[in-house]
């Protein structure tokens, strides 16, 4: 990438068509995101209870309905293209009516209905305990576009595995397949960790550097919660506040969905109903259906994928609506219908060490 700093493409500050997220170091992206914030200061059918994400061949996971807590270990699991045949999506068109922000369309009744159904499901979830000294482990199985020029690219398998410090959700270990990204020549692990922890100390927790205590202290009144989250997102000349908030929520969900209380999970889903630009759809991963809530701003669309059985966020998709973008499907892996520039699902669990999965 030459149009801007590649480490920031994951926060979608480039025009549509840039890879999302960048294949550069996840840790540097995280820290730059925090620094930027400081500077700016449908009803889904019920499915059988299971963890609704693609699972690599040979990977055994046990889940609990309405809590989706992983209790099985993955041992010596190595990344391989997940054994999925088809990822098929359908989505409602944008309405013509404008939202409270005239730059965006109004949120559709179908999206509001889907979010409310998810909120009612979330209220029945169980709370996950986090003890001192434990970490959040996130296994991400994704596909991202690798641009060969400005508007042409190939979608490639992009695995990530992260061990996060719950205080700020700071990456302590990041794997790209079997490669430790902190071992690369460009990595400065100790310097990055010091910067992240100093930032958290000086600026306090936020939507981009949450802590369990910050999450627990958030209001569960939907309108007040939406106002707080919008205020926590910096201004941007390219995208609206709600688009940036939706993008930030994908990273919050990806890092610490497992730490959300049932009350906060439900309050977030009800707070989103006050946003502009949301539409509803479904994403089928083979025979498993997920609820897709999309926020569209111009040619950029971001989806958060929710498990309708648990109301947990289990994935993200990014879609460029610019007709100039030409994508080539992955050489191996599932067929995407339609093909998108980023698709990922994740699993989270609580672990006692950086070697545990």
């Amino acid at each position: 990438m030459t149009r801007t700093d590649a480490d920031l493409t994951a926060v979608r500050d480039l025009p549509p068509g840039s890879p999302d997220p960048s294949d550069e170091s996840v840790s540097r992206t995280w820290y730059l995101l925090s620094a930027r914030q400081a500077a700016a200061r449908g009803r889904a059918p019920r499915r059988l209870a299971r963890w609704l994400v693609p699972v690599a061949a040979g990977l055994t996971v046990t889940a609990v309905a309405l809590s989706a807590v992983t209790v099985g270990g993955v041992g010596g699991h190595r990344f391989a293209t997940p054994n999925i045949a088809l990822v098929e999506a359908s989505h409602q068109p944008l309405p013509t009516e404008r939202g409270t922000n005239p730059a965006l369309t109004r949120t559709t009744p179908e999206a509001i209905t889907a979010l409310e159904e998810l909120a009612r499901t979330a209220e029945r979830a169980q709370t996950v305990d986090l003890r001192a000294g434990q970490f959040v482990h996130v296994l991400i199985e994704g596909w991202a576009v690798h641009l060969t020029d400005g508007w042409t690219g190939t979608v490639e398998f992009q695995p990530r595995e992260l061990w996060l410090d719950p205080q700020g959700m700071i990456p302590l270990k990041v794997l790209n397949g079997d490669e430790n990204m902190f071992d690369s020549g460009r990595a400065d692990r100790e310097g990055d960790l010091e910067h992240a922890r100093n930032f958290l100390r000086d600026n306090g927790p936020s939507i981009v550097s949450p802590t369990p205590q910050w999450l627990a202290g958030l209001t569960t009144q939907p309108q007040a919660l939406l106002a707080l989250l919008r205020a926590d997102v910096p201004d941007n000349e390219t995208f609206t506040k709600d688009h940036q908030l939706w993008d930030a929520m994908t990273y919050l969900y990806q890092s610490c969905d497992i730490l959300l209380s049932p009350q906060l999970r439900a309050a977030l889903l009800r707070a989103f109903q006050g946003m502009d630009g949301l539409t509803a759809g479904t994403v089928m991963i083979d025979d498993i259906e997920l609820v897709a809530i999309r926020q569209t701003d111009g040619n950029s669309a971001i989806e958060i994928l929710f498990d309708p059985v648990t109301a947990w966020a289990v994935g993200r998709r990014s879609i460029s609506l610019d007709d100039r973008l030409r994508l080539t499907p992955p050489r191996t892996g599932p067929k995407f219908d339609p093909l998108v520039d980023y698709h990922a699902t994740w699993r989270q669990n609580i672990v006692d060490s950086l070697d545990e999965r």
Side-chain angles (χ1 to χ4, degrees), residues 212-233:
Q213 297 82 2
W214 182 79
L215 292 170
L218 288 174
T219 178
T220 55
Q221 201 286 322
Q223 289 183 333
L225 180 58
L226 178 57
L228 184 152
L229 294 175
R230 280 173 167 163
D232 217 13
V233 175

Side-chain angles (χ1 to χ4, degrees), residues 158-313:
Q158 188 187 83
R160 290 290 184 269
E161 191 169 8
L162 299 88
W163 285 258
L164 305 174
D165 182 346
Q167 296 302 318
M169 297 300 147
I170 298 169
L172 301 177
K173 181 179 178 181
V174 180
L175 297 184
N176 172 20
D178 290 328
E179 173 195 359
N180 189 332
M181 299 183 75
F182 285 125
D183 291 340
S184 69
R186 294 180 57 189
D188 178 11
R189 181 175 185 273
E190 295 305 319
D192 285 343
L193 290 176
E194 181 181 7
H195 171 82
R197 287 172 172 152
N198 289 343
F199 175 84
L200 179 63
R201 180 198 63 207
D202 296 340
N203 298 278
S206 66
I207 193 171
V208 295
S209 53
T211 66
Q213 297 82 2
W214 182 79
L215 292 170
L218 288 174
T219 178
T220 55
Q221 201 286 322
Q223 289 183 333
L225 180 58
L226 178 57
L228 184 152
L229 294 175
R230 280 173 167 163
D232 217 13
V233 175
D235 293 326
N236 183 285
E237 295 181 358
T238 303
F239 295 113
T240 61
K241 182 80 75 170
D242 278 0
H243 194 67
Q244 292 184 89
L245 173 56
W246 202 241
D247 183 58
M249 284 304 306
T250 69
Y251 292 103
L252 185 142
Y253 276 132
Q254 179 182 288
S255 65
C256 58
D257 183 277
I258 195 171
L259 301 182
L260 303 182
S261 69
Q263 296 79 15
L264 179 58
R265 189 183 306 280
L268 284 167
L269 292 162
R270 292 189 169 112
F272 299 154
Q273 296 174 36
M275 294 176 62
D276 289 323
L278 298 185
T279 51
T282 60
V283 171
M284 297 290 296
I285 300 177
D286 285 341
D287 61 345
I288 299 167
E289 186 172 70
L290 302 178
V291 177
I293 303 296
R294 175 186 294 183
Q295 207 287 335
T296 303
D297 184 351
N299 284 330
S300 176
I302 300 172
E303 292 178 359
I304 300 178
L305 306 182
F306 294 93
D307 173 355
V309 175
T310 65
W312 283 46

Side-chain angles (χ1 to χ4, degrees), residues 1-81:
M1 295 296 296
T2 59
R3 289 175 289 176
T4 188
D5 188 332
D7 287 321
L8 294 176
T9 60
V11 292
R12 299 192 59 81
D13 232 15
L14 289 175
S18 59
D20 183 25
S22 168
D23 201 31
E24 297 295 327
S25 169
V26 173
S27 61
R28 290 192 302 275
T29 298
W30 196 274
Y31 305 137
L32 286 170
L33 182 77
S34 298
R36 166 167 293 186
Q37 190 215 35
R41 276 303 294 164
R43 182 178 176 91
R46 296 299 183 187
R47 300 284 178 175
L48 294 177
R50 57 158 288 179
W51 189 277
L52 300 182
V53 297
V55 181
L59 177 60
T60 301
V61 177
T62 302
V64 180
L66 301 181
S67 66
V69 181
T70 301
V71 297
V74 299
H77 165 66
R78 296 169 64 87
F79 281 104
T81 302

Side-chain angles (χ1 to χ4, degrees), residues 17 145-154 324-328:
V145 62
H146 174 72
L147 291 181
T148 53
D149 59 43
W151 294 99
T152 304
T154 300
R324 291 175 292 176
L325 185 62
R326 295 290 181 265
L327 299 179
T328 301

Side-chain angles (χ1 to χ4, degrees), residues 92-95 105-114 275 277-280:
Q92 67 177 144
L94 285 172
T105 60
R106 67 168 176 83
T107 289
T108 64
E110 292 83 358
I112 291 174
T113 298
M275 294 176 62
L278 298 185
T279 51

